[in-house]
Amino acid sequence: EKDDLFRQAFEKLSPHKKVIFHLSRNEGLSHEQIADKLRISKNTVKNHLVSTLRFIRAYLERLAVFAIFSIFF
């Protein structure tokens, strides 16, 4: 179930952020390797990863709050 929720959040990302996240987390590439591969700056890679992780965390937190709220009301 947790994986399904993560996939839901992942699907809401922009295509560019999906690629960067996949290269980082699934393929284990460094920020520099991703930047070279996509021809973008390392800082752009870092910024995209930070915003992606914040988005996923916030998305999962909102779902958790909604689930708790729906249990009690």
Side-chain angles (χ1 to χ4, degrees):
E1 184 178 320
K2 191 164 99 174
D3 288 340
D4 288 338
L5 294 175
F6 177 82
R7 272 191 280 284
Q8 287 175 20
F10 184 79
E11 288 305 314
K12 295 188 179 302
L13 297 172
S14 72
H16 198 63
K17 286 184 179 181
K18 286 179 186 178
V19 169
I20 292 171
F21 190 81
H22 172 78
L23 292 172
S24 173
R25 296 304 191 263
N26 295 21
E27 294 191 25
L29 298 182
S30 69
H31 291 189
E32 186 171 351
Q33 291 170 317
I34 296 167
D36 289 344
K37 185 174 187 122
L38 300 179
R39 297 182 182 171
I40 58 178
S41 76
K42 288 188 293 186
N43 199 42
T44 299
V45 172
K46 178 185 172 192
N47 289 340
H48 278 307
L49 288 171
V50 167
S51 69
T52 295
L53 291 171
R54 282 185 184 151
F55 170 78
I56 291 172
R57 195 174 299 120
Y59 182 85
L60 295 176
E61 286 173 358
R62 282 192 304 271
L63 289 178
V65 168
F66 177 75
I68 291 168
F69 184 77
S70 65
I71 289 171
F72 291 106
F73 298 101

